[in-house]
Amino acid sequence: MPSVSFPRWAAILLPWSAALVMWFLAYGPNTFVALGLMVHPVESTPWAITKETVVDTVAPVLLVLGVMPAVWLICDRVCGQTWPRLGVVPRWNRWELVWIPASFLLACGAGRILTLVNDLAAHLVPDQVHRYRETGLDQGDFPMLTTSMLISGPAEEIILVPALILLLRQGGARPWVAVMIAVAARVGIHLYYGWPMIFGWGIWALLLIAIWRVTGTVLGAILAHALNNLTASMQLTGIPGGDALADIYTVLGWVGIAAFLPLCAWLFLQWQHDRKGVPAADAGASA
């Protein structure tokens, strides 16, 4: 079968278009809703607790996840090169047995940092923070709320971290540009908490991207996000055991924060190694 040559503009336009469509389908409307709630907060909870709202919340992200393999194959053909791993499918080697639990603890640590920063923001600017988690729900809302949170929450770790960043990178975006767009996308869907929370959500998004880059997997972050959302849904609806699970998540978060120290040391050593490797490569090329 003869190979098909695609123009350069197609190799740039297709990944950017796929990234935009993917973001808009999964999170575009919710971003605008979150922005509206930030400017005009309401008393009622924004959580999905009916069948209709759960479908509206879950269906778009499932659609994006479902078509993602096809998007990858098409972009791979157009761009003419093999793309890096998303980090969603385990590699089934001994290192994966280290990286998945490590990324889980680190993601729990990132969640703990998010809570600390957001609590500080709520203390400094209480009148601009909207604590929707404190709104009252009952146990009858638990199935619908949990279904929504356990699907849409972890889906963020796939769509808004490796998928979005790799598409933008394949479209020619510089690494820092792709990362900033991914951070902005993550912050955007959480704007309903109020503008003082933007800093905390931004730090959290950056940490999750760093964890994915270092560990090569998003499975740990998916598990951590699912644990956080399950805990939140149990507490919001008054399901027994929610507070105990929250205590476990908090302990894991502190352990994860401690684990960030060796992570930072590893990143620094890697940066030094890469920095020293550039002159050597240049020297070898000129020789």
Side-chain angles (χ1 to χ4, degrees):
M1 181 177 179
S3 60
V4 179
S5 178
F6 293 92
R8 175 60 180 164
W9 62 265
I12 295 176
L13 180 62
L14 182 59
W16 275 90
S17 300
L20 178 61
V21 171
M22 181 181 68
W23 167 81
F24 183 80
L25 286 176
Y27 301 111
N30 288 340
T31 300
F32 295 116
V33 171
L35 178 61
L37 288 172
M38 182 185 73
V39 178
H40 303 290
V42 297
E43 294 296 329
S44 60
T45 175
W47 301 108
I49 55 175
T50 67
K51 290 182 180 180
E52 290 76 13
T53 53
V54 168
V55 170
D56 291 342
T57 301
V58 171
V61 297
L62 290 180
L63 173 63
V64 171
L65 292 175
V67 302
M68 194 175 294
V71 172
W72 241 244
L73 288 174
I74 294 172
C75 289
D76 180 72
R77 178 63 62 87
V78 172
C79 296
Q81 54 185 308
T82 302
W83 286 32
R85 294 177 65 253
L86 282 171
V88 177
V89 179
R91 287 167 288 195
W92 304 117
N93 57 43
R94 61 182 181 178
W95 278 111
E96 200 80 338
L97 299 178
V98 174
W99 287 127
I100 292 178
S103 64
F104 170 73
L105 284 176
L106 290 168
C108 289
R112 187 61 190 159
I113 292 173
L114 168 66
T115 298
L116 294 173
V117 175
N118 281 354
D119 286 346
L120 177 62
H123 176 73
L124 295 176
V125 198
D127 58 324
Q128 296 295 321
V129 172
H130 318 308
R131 288 292 198 182
Y132 286 114
R133 284 179 179 243
E134 297 175 0
T135 57
L137 301 172
D138 57 47
Q139 294 187 11
D141 298 318
F142 178 74
M144 290 295 99
L145 180 62
T146 305
T147 299
S148 172
M149 296 179 76
L150 287 183
I151 295 176
S152 59
E156 293 178 27
E157 307 306 332
I158 300 174
I159 298 173
L160 297 181
V161 182
L164 183 59
I165 291 175
L166 290 179
L167 281 171
L168 295 177
R169 290 285 292 126
Q170 202 68 20
R174 293 181 179 272
W176 69 268
V177 173
V179 168
M180 288 300 99
I181 291 175
V183 169
R186 177 89 75 153
V187 171
I189 57 178
H190 295 97
L191 288 175
Y192 56 84
Y193 283 111
W195 66 262
M197 300 291 201
I198 290 176
F199 187 61
W201 292 113
I203 292 176
W204 181 58
L206 279 172
L207 289 175
L208 290 171
I209 292 171
I211 293 168
W212 163 64
R213 291 295 298 151
V214 170
T215 65
T217 180
V218 294
L219 294 177
I222 289 173
L223 293 174
H225 206 143
L227 176 60
N228 173 74
N229 285 4
L230 176 62
T231 302
S233 62
M234 292 175 69
Q235 290 183 308
L236 282 167
T237 56
I239 296 295
D243 291 340
L245 196 58
D247 292 338
I248 294 174
Y249 182 72
T250 298
V251 172
L252 291 172
W254 286 114
V255 174
I257 290 177
F260 272 111
L261 297 177
L263 172 64
C264 292
W266 185 89
L267 288 174
F268 178 74
L269 292 175
Q270 188 72 21
W271 173 77
Q272 279 195 324
H273 178 269
D274 294 343
R275 186 183 180 189
K276 291 178 180 178
V278 172
D282 291 343
S286 61

Coordinates of all heavy atoms in Angstrom, one line a residue, residues 36-115:
G36 N -19.3 31.6 35.0 CA -20.5 32.3 35.4 C -20.8 32.2 36.9 O -21.2 33.2 37.6
L37 N -20.5 31.0 37.5 CA -20.7 30.8 38.9 C -19.7 31.6 39.8 O -20.0 32.0 40.9 CB -20.7 29.3 39.3 CG -21.9 28.5 38.8 CD1 -21.6 27.0 39.0 CD2 -23.1 28.9 39.6
M38 N -18.5 31.8 39.2 CA -17.5 32.6 39.9 C -18.0 34.0 40.0 O -17.8 34.7 41.0 CB -16.2 32.5 39.2 CG -15.1 33.3 39.9 SD -13.5 33.3 39.0 CE -13.9 34.4 37.6
V39 N -18.5 34.5 38.9 CA -19.0 36.0 38.9 C -20.3 36.1 39.6 O -20.5 37.1 40.3 CB -19.1 36.4 37.4 CG1 -19.6 37.9 37.4 CG2 -17.7 36.3 36.7
H40 N -21.2 35.2 39.4 CA -22.5 35.3 40.1 C -22.8 34.0 40.8 O -23.5 33.1 40.3 CB -23.6 35.5 39.0 CG -23.4 36.7 38.2 ND1 -23.5 38.0 38.7 CD2 -23.0 36.9 36.9 CE1 -23.3 38.9 37.7 NE2 -23.0 38.2 36.6
P41 N -22.2 33.8 42.0 CA -22.4 32.6 42.8 C -23.9 32.4 43.2 O -24.7 33.3 43.3 CB -21.6 32.8 44.0 CG -21.5 34.3 44.2 CD -21.4 34.8 42.8
V42 N -24.3 31.1 43.3 CA -25.6 30.7 43.7 C -25.6 29.9 45.0 O -24.6 29.5 45.4 CB -26.3 29.9 42.6 CG1 -26.4 30.8 41.3 CG2 -25.5 28.7 42.3
E43 N -26.8 29.8 45.6 CA -26.8 29.0 46.8 C -26.9 27.5 46.6 O -26.4 26.8 47.4 CB -28.1 29.5 47.6 CG -28.0 30.9 48.1 CD -26.9 31.2 49.1 OE1 -26.6 30.3 49.8 OE2 -26.3 32.3 49.0
S44 N -27.5 27.1 45.5 CA -27.7 25.6 45.3 C -26.4 25.0 44.8 O -25.5 25.7 44.2 CB -28.8 25.4 44.3 OG -28.5 26.0 43.1
T45 N -26.2 23.7 45.1 CA -25.0 23.0 44.7 C -24.9 22.8 43.2 O -25.9 22.6 42.5 CB -24.9 21.7 45.4 OG1 -23.8 21.0 44.9 CG2 -26.1 20.9 45.1
P46 N -23.7 22.9 42.6 CA -23.6 22.7 41.2 C -23.3 21.2 40.8 O -23.1 20.9 39.7 CB -22.3 23.5 40.8 CG -21.5 23.5 42.0 CD -22.5 23.5 43.2
W47 N -23.3 20.3 41.8 CA -23.0 18.9 41.6 C -24.1 18.2 40.8 O -25.3 18.6 41.0 CB -22.7 18.2 42.9 CG -21.6 18.8 43.7 CD1 -21.8 19.5 44.9 CD2 -20.2 18.7 43.5 NE1 -20.5 19.9 45.4 CE2 -19.6 19.4 44.5 CE3 -19.5 18.2 42.5 CZ2 -18.2 19.5 44.6 CZ3 -18.1 18.3 42.5 CH2 -17.5 19.0 43.5
A48 N -23.7 17.2 40.0 CA -24.7 16.5 39.3 C -25.3 15.4 40.2 O -24.6 14.5 40.6 CB -24.0 15.8 38.1
I49 N -26.6 15.5 40.4 CA -27.2 14.6 41.3 C -28.5 14.0 40.8 O -29.2 13.2 41.4 CB -27.6 15.3 42.7 CG1 -28.4 16.5 42.4 CG2 -26.3 15.6 43.4 CD1 -28.9 17.2 43.7
T50 N -28.8 14.3 39.5 CA -30.0 13.6 38.9 C -29.5 12.9 37.7 O -28.4 13.1 37.2 CB -31.0 14.7 38.4 OG1 -30.5 15.5 37.4 CG2 -31.4 15.6 39.6
K51 N -30.3 12.0 37.1 CA -29.9 11.2 36.0 C -29.6 12.1 34.8 O -28.6 11.8 34.1 CB -31.0 10.2 35.6 CG -31.2 9.1 36.6 CD -32.3 8.1 36.2 CE -32.4 7.0 37.2 NZ -33.5 6.0 36.8
E52 N -30.4 13.1 34.6 CA -30.2 14.0 33.5 C -28.8 14.8 33.6 O -28.1 14.8 32.6 CB -31.3 15.0 33.4 CG -32.6 14.4 33.0 CD -33.3 13.6 34.1 OE1 -32.9 13.8 35.3 OE2 -34.3 12.9 33.8
T53 N -28.6 15.3 34.8 CA -27.3 16.0 35.0 C -26.1 15.1 34.9 O -25.0 15.5 34.5 CB -27.3 16.8 36.3 OG1 -27.6 15.9 37.4 CG2 -28.3 17.9 36.3
V54 N -26.2 13.9 35.4 CA -25.1 12.9 35.3 C -24.8 12.6 33.9 O -23.6 12.6 33.5 CB -25.5 11.6 36.1 CG1 -24.5 10.5 35.8 CG2 -25.4 11.9 37.6
V55 N -25.8 12.4 33.1 CA -25.6 12.1 31.7 C -25.0 13.3 31.0 O -24.0 13.1 30.2 CB -27.0 11.7 31.0 CG1 -26.8 11.7 29.4 CG2 -27.5 10.4 31.5
D56 N -25.5 14.5 31.3 CA -24.9 15.7 30.7 C -23.4 15.9 31.1 O -22.6 16.4 30.3 CB -25.7 16.9 31.1 CG -27.0 17.0 30.5 OD1 -27.3 16.3 29.5 OD2 -27.9 17.7 31.1
T57 N -23.0 15.4 32.3 CA -21.7 15.6 32.8 C -20.8 14.5 32.3 O -19.6 14.7 31.8 CB -21.7 15.5 34.3 OG1 -22.5 16.6 34.8 CG2 -20.2 15.7 34.8
V58 N -21.3 13.2 32.3 CA -20.4 12.1 32.0 C -20.3 11.8 30.5 O -19.3 11.4 30.0 CB -21.0 10.8 32.7 CG1 -20.2 9.6 32.3 CG2 -20.8 11.0 34.2
A59 N -21.4 12.0 29.7 CA -21.4 11.6 28.3 C -20.3 12.3 27.5 O -19.7 11.6 26.7 CB -22.8 11.9 27.7
P60 N -20.1 13.6 27.7 CA -19.1 14.2 26.8 C -17.7 13.7 27.1 O -16.9 13.4 26.1 CB -19.2 15.7 27.2 CG -20.5 15.9 27.8 CD -20.8 14.6 28.5
V61 N -17.3 13.4 28.4 CA -16.0 12.9 28.6 C -15.8 11.5 28.1 O -14.7 11.1 27.7 CB -15.6 13.0 30.1 CG1 -15.6 14.5 30.5 CG2 -16.5 12.2 31.0
L62 N -16.9 10.7 28.3 CA -16.8 9.3 27.7 C -16.7 9.3 26.2 O -16.0 8.5 25.6 CB -18.0 8.5 28.2 CG -18.2 8.2 29.6 CD1 -19.4 7.4 29.9 CD2 -16.9 7.3 30.1
L63 N -17.4 10.3 25.6 CA -17.2 10.4 24.1 C -15.8 10.7 23.7 O -15.2 10.1 22.8 CB -18.2 11.5 23.6 CG -18.1 11.8 22.1 CD1 -18.4 10.6 21.3 CD2 -19.0 13.0 21.8
V64 N -15.2 11.6 24.4 CA -13.8 12.0 24.1 C -12.9 10.9 24.3 O -12.0 10.6 23.5 CB -13.4 13.2 24.9 CG1 -11.9 13.5 24.8 CG2 -14.2 14.5 24.5
L65 N -13.0 10.2 25.5 CA -12.2 9.0 25.7 C -12.4 7.9 24.7 O -11.4 7.2 24.4 CB -12.5 8.5 27.2 CG -12.1 9.4 28.3 CD1 -12.5 8.8 29.6 CD2 -10.6 9.6 28.4
G66 N -13.6 7.8 24.3 CA -13.9 6.7 23.3 C -13.3 6.9 21.9 O -12.8 6.0 21.3
V67 N -13.3 8.2 21.5 CA -12.7 8.5 20.2 C -11.2 8.8 20.2 O -10.6 8.9 19.1 CB -13.5 9.7 19.5 CG1 -15.0 9.4 19.4 CG2 -13.2 11.0 20.3
M68 N -10.7 8.9 21.4 CA -9.2 9.2 21.5 C -8.3 8.3 20.7 O -7.4 8.7 20.0 CB -8.8 9.3 22.9 CG -7.5 10.0 23.2 SD -7.2 10.2 24.9 CE -8.5 11.4 25.4
P69 N -8.5 6.9 20.8 CA -7.6 6.1 20.0 C -7.7 6.3 18.5 O -6.6 6.3 17.9 CB -8.2 4.7 20.4 CG -8.8 4.8 21.7 CD -9.4 6.2 21.7
A70 N -8.9 6.6 18.0 CA -9.0 6.9 16.6 C -8.3 8.2 16.3 O -7.6 8.3 15.2 CB -10.5 7.0 16.2
V71 N -8.4 9.2 17.1 CA -7.7 10.5 16.9 C -6.2 10.3 16.9 O -5.5 10.8 16.1 CB -8.1 11.5 18.0 CG1 -7.2 12.8 18.0 CG2 -9.5 11.9 17.9
W72 N -5.7 9.4 17.8 CA -4.3 9.2 17.9 C -3.8 8.5 16.6 O -2.7 8.8 16.1 CB -4.0 8.3 19.1 CG -3.1 8.9 20.1 CD1 -1.8 8.5 20.4 CD2 -3.3 10.1 20.8 NE1 -1.3 9.4 21.4 CE2 -2.2 10.4 21.6 CE3 -4.4 11.0 20.9 CZ2 -2.1 11.5 22.4 CZ3 -4.3 12.1 21.7 CH2 -3.2 12.3 22.5
L73 N -4.6 7.5 16.1 CA -4.2 6.8 14.8 C -4.1 7.8 13.7 O -3.2 7.8 12.8 CB -5.1 5.7 14.6 CG -5.0 4.5 15.5 CD1 -6.1 3.5 15.2 CD2 -3.6 3.8 15.4
I74 N -5.1 8.6 13.6 CA -5.2 9.6 12.4 C -4.1 10.6 12.5 O -3.4 10.8 11.5 CB -6.6 10.3 12.4 CG1 -7.7 9.3 12.2 CG2 -6.6 11.4 11.4 CD1 -9.1 9.9 12.3
C75 N -3.8 11.2 13.7 CA -2.8 12.1 13.9 C -1.4 11.5 13.6 O -0.5 12.1 13.1 CB -2.8 12.8 15.2 SG -4.2 13.9 15.5
D76 N -1.3 10.2 14.1 CA 0.0 9.5 13.9 C 0.3 9.4 12.4 O 1.4 9.5 12.0 CB -0.1 8.2 14.6 CG 1.2 7.4 14.4 OD1 2.2 7.7 15.0 OD2 1.2 6.4 13.6
R77 N -0.8 9.1 11.6 CA -0.6 8.9 10.2 C -0.3 10.2 9.5 O 0.6 10.3 8.6 CB -1.9 8.3 9.6 CG -1.8 8.1 8.0 CD -0.7 7.2 7.6 NE -1.0 5.8 8.1 CZ -1.7 4.9 7.5 NH1 -2.3 5.2 6.3 NH2 -1.9 3.7 8.0
V78 N -1.0 11.3 9.9 CA -0.8 12.6 9.3 C 0.6 13.2 9.6 O 1.3 13.7 8.8 CB -1.9 13.6 9.7 CG1 -1.6 15.0 9.2 CG2 -3.2 13.1 9.1
C79 N 1.0 13.0 10.9 CA 2.2 13.6 11.4 C 3.4 12.8 11.0 O 4.6 13.3 11.1 CB 2.2 13.9 12.9 SG 0.9 15.0 13.4
G80 N 3.2 11.5 10.7 CA 4.2 10.7 10.2 C 5.3 10.2 11.2 O 6.4 10.0 10.9
Q81 N 4.9 10.2 12.5 CA 5.8 9.7 13.5 C 5.0 9.1 14.6 O 3.8 9.4 14.8 CB 6.7 10.8 14.0 CG 5.9 12.0 14.5 CD 6.8 13.2 14.9 OE1 7.7 13.0 15.7 NE2 6.5 14.3 14.4
T82 N 5.7 8.2 15.4 CA 5.1 7.5 16.5 C 5.0 8.5 17.7 O 6.0 9.1 18.0 CB 5.8 6.3 16.9 OG1 5.9 5.4 15.7 CG2 5.2 5.5 18.0
W83 N 3.8 8.5 18.3 CA 3.6 9.5 19.4 C 4.1 8.9 20.7 O 4.1 7.6 20.9 CB 2.2 9.8 19.5 CG 1.7 10.8 18.4 CD1 2.2 10.8 17.1 CD2 0.7 11.8 18.5 NE1 1.5 11.8 16.4 CE2 0.6 12.4 17.3 CE3 -0.2 12.2 19.5 CZ2 -0.3 13.4 17.0 CZ3 -1.1 13.2 19.3 CH2 -1.1 13.8 18.0
P84 N 4.5 9.7 21.7 CA 4.8 9.2 23.0 C 3.6 8.5 23.7 O 2.5 8.8 23.3 CB 5.3 10.5 23.8 CG 5.6 11.5 22.7 CD 4.7 11.2 21.6
R85 N 3.9 7.7 24.7 CA 2.8 7.1 25.4 C 2.0 8.1 26.2 O 2.5 9.0 26.7 CB 3.4 6.0 26.4 CG 4.1 4.9 25.8 CD 4.7 4.0 26.8 NE 3.6 3.4 27.7 CZ 3.4 3.7 28.9 NH1 4.0 4.7 29.5 NH2 2.4 3.1 29.6
L86 N 0.7 7.8 26.3 CA -0.2 8.6 27.2 C 0.1 8.2 28.7 O -0.1 9.1 29.5 CB -1.6 8.3 26.8 CG -2.2 9.0 25.6 CD1 -3.6 8.4 25.3 CD2 -2.3 10.5 25.8
G87 N 0.5 7.0 28.9 CA 0.7 6.6 30.3 C -0.6 6.1 30.9 O -0.7 6.0 32.2
V88 N -1.5 5.6 30.1 CA -2.8 5.1 30.6 C -2.8 3.6 30.7 O -3.3 3.0 31.6 CB -4.0 5.5 29.6 CG1 -5.3 4.9 30.1 CG2 -4.1 7.0 29.6
V89 N -2.1 2.9 29.7 CA -2.0 1.5 29.7 C -0.7 1.1 30.4 O 0.4 1.5 30.1 CB -2.0 0.9 28.3 CG1 -1.8 -0.6 28.3 CG2 -3.2 1.4 27.5
P90 N -0.8 0.2 31.4 CA 0.4 -0.2 32.2 C 1.4 -0.9 31.2 O 1.0 -1.6 30.3 CB -0.1 -1.2 33.2 CG -1.5 -0.9 33.3 CD -2.0 -0.4 32.0
R91 N 2.7 -0.8 31.5 CA 3.7 -1.4 30.7 C 4.0 -2.8 31.2 O 4.8 -3.5 30.6 CB 5.0 -0.5 30.7 CG 4.9 0.7 29.9 CD 6.0 1.7 30.2 NE 5.8 2.3 31.5 CZ 6.5 3.4 31.9 NH1 7.4 4.0 31.1 NH2 6.3 3.9 33.1
W92 N 3.5 -3.2 32.3 CA 3.7 -4.5 32.9 C 5.1 -4.9 33.0 O 5.5 -6.0 32.6 CB 2.9 -5.6 32.1 CG 1.5 -5.3 31.9 CD1 0.8 -5.0 30.8 CD2 0.5 -5.2 33.0 NE1 -0.5 -4.7 31.0 CE2 -0.8 -4.8 32.4 CE3 0.5 -5.3 34.3 CZ2 -1.9 -4.7 33.1 CZ3 -0.6 -5.2 35.1 CH2 -1.8 -4.8 34.5
N93 N 5.9 -4.1 33.6 CA 7.3 -4.4 33.9 C 7.5 -4.0 35.4 O 6.7 -3.4 36.0 CB 8.3 -3.7 33.0 CG 8.1 -2.2 33.0 OD1 8.0 -1.6 34.1 ND2 8.2 -1.6 31.9
R94 N 8.7 -4.4 35.9 CA 8.9 -4.2 37.3 C 8.9 -2.7 37.7 O 8.5 -2.4 38.9 CB 10.2 -4.9 37.8 CG 11.4 -4.3 37.0 CD 12.7 -5.1 37.5 NE 13.9 -4.6 36.8 CZ 15.1 -5.1 37.1 NH1 15.2 -6.0 37.9 NH2 16.1 -4.6 36.5
W95 N 9.4 -1.8 36.8 CA 9.4 -0.4 37.2 C 8.0 0.1 37.3 O 7.8 1.1 38.1 CB 10.2 0.4 36.1 CG 11.7 0.3 36.4 CD1 12.6 -0.4 35.6 CD2 12.4 0.9 37.5 NE1 13.8 -0.2 36.2 CE2 13.7 0.5 37.3 CE3 12.0 1.6 38.6 CZ2 14.7 0.9 38.2 CZ3 13.0 2.0 39.5 CH2 14.3 1.7 39.3
E96 N 7.1 -0.4 36.5 CA 5.7 0.1 36.6 C 5.1 -0.2 38.0 O 4.3 0.5 38.5 CB 4.8 -0.6 35.5 CG 3.5 0.2 35.2 CD 3.7 1.4 34.3 OE1 4.8 1.9 34.3 OE2 2.8 1.8 33.7
L97 N 5.6 -1.3 38.6 CA 5.1 -1.6 40.0 C 5.7 -0.6 41.0 O 5.2 -0.5 42.1 CB 5.6 -3.0 40.4 CG 5.1 -4.2 39.5 CD1 5.7 -5.5 40.0 CD2 3.6 -4.2 39.6
V98 N 6.7 0.2 40.6 CA 7.2 1.3 41.4 C 6.5 2.6 41.1 O 6.0 3.3 42.0 CB 8.7 1.4 41.3 CG1 9.2 2.6 42.0 CG2 9.4 0.2 41.8
W99 N 6.4 2.9 39.8 CA 5.9 4.2 39.4 C 4.4 4.4 39.6 O 4.0 5.5 40.0 CB 6.2 4.4 37.9 CG 7.7 4.6 37.6 CD1 8.4 3.9 36.6 CD2 8.5 5.6 38.1 NE1 9.7 4.4 36.6 CE2 9.8 5.5 37.5 CE3 8.3 6.6 39.1 CZ2 10.9 6.3 37.8 CZ3 9.4 7.4 39.4 CH2 10.7 7.2 38.8
I100 N 3.6 3.4 39.5 CA 2.2 3.6 39.7 C 1.9 3.9 41.2 O 1.2 4.9 41.5 CB 1.4 2.4 39.2 CG1 1.4 2.3 37.7 CG2 -0.1 2.5 39.7 CD1 0.7 1.1 37.1
P101 N 2.4 3.1 42.2 CA 2.2 3.5 43.6 C 2.8 4.9 43.9 O 2.3 5.7 44.7 CB 2.8 2.4 44.4 CG 2.9 1.2 43.4 CD 3.1 1.8 42.1
A102 N 4.0 5.1 43.3 CA 4.7 6.4 43.6 C 3.9 7.6 43.1 O 3.7 8.6 43.7 CB 6.1 6.4 42.9
S103 N 3.3 7.4 41.8 CA 2.5 8.5 41.3 C 1.2 8.7 42.1 O 0.7 9.8 42.2 CB 2.2 8.2 39.8 OG 1.4 7.1 39.7
F104 N 0.7 7.6 42.6 CA -0.5 7.7 43.5 C -0.2 8.5 44.7 O -1.0 9.4 45.1 CB -1.0 6.3 43.9 CG -2.0 6.2 44.9 CD1 -3.3 6.6 44.6 CD2 -1.7 5.9 46.2 CE1 -4.3 6.6 45.6 CE2 -2.7 5.8 47.2 CZ -4.0 6.2 46.9
L105 N 0.9 8.2 45.4 CA 1.2 9.0 46.6 C 1.5 10.4 46.3 O 1.1 11.3 47.0 CB 2.4 8.3 47.3 CG 2.2 7.1 48.1 CD1 3.5 6.5 48.6 CD2 1.2 7.3 49.2
L106 N 2.2 10.6 45.2 CA 2.5 12.0 44.8 C 1.3 12.8 44.4 O 1.1 14.0 44.8 CB 3.5 12.0 43.6 CG 4.9 11.5 43.9 CD1 5.7 11.3 42.6 CD2 5.7 12.6 44.8
A107 N 0.3 12.1 43.8 CA -0.9 12.8 43.4 C -1.7 13.1 44.7 O -2.4 14.1 44.8 CB -1.7 11.9 42.5
C108 N -1.7 12.2 45.7 CA -2.4 12.5 47.0 C -1.7 13.7 47.6 O -2.4 14.5 48.2 CB -2.3 11.3 47.9 SG -3.3 9.9 47.4
G109 N -0.4 13.8 47.5 CA 0.3 14.9 48.0 C 0.0 16.2 47.3 O -0.2 17.2 48.0
A110 N -0.2 16.1 46.0 CA -0.7 17.3 45.3 C -2.0 17.7 45.7 O -2.3 18.9 45.8 CB -0.6 17.0 43.8
G111 N -2.9 16.7 46.0 CA -4.2 17.1 46.5 C -4.2 17.7 47.8 O -5.0 18.6 48.1
R112 N -3.3 17.3 48.7 CA -3.1 17.9 50.0 C -2.6 19.3 49.9 O -3.1 20.2 50.6 CB -2.2 17.0 50.9 CG -2.1 17.5 52.3 CD -3.5 17.4 53.0 NE -3.5 18.0 54.3 CZ -4.6 18.4 54.9 NH1 -5.8 18.2 54.3 NH2 -4.6 18.9 56.0
I113 N -1.7 19.5 49.0 CA -1.2 20.9 48.8 C -2.3 21.8 48.3 O -2.5 23.0 48.7 CB 0.0 20.9 47.8 CG1 1.2 20.2 48.4 CG2 0.4 22.3 47.3 CD1 2.4 19.9 47.5
L114 N -3.1 21.3 47.4 CA -4.3 22.0 46.9 C -5.2 22.4 48.0 O -5.6 23.6 48.1 CB -5.1 21.2 45.9 CG -6.4 21.7 45.5 CD1 -6.3 23.0 44.7 CD2 -7.2 20.6 44.6
T115 N -5.5 21.5 48.9 CA -6.4 21.8 50.1 C -5.8 22.9 51.0 O -6.4 23.8 51.4 CB -6.6 20.5 50.9 OG1 -7.3 19.6 50.1 CG2 -7.5 20.8 52.1

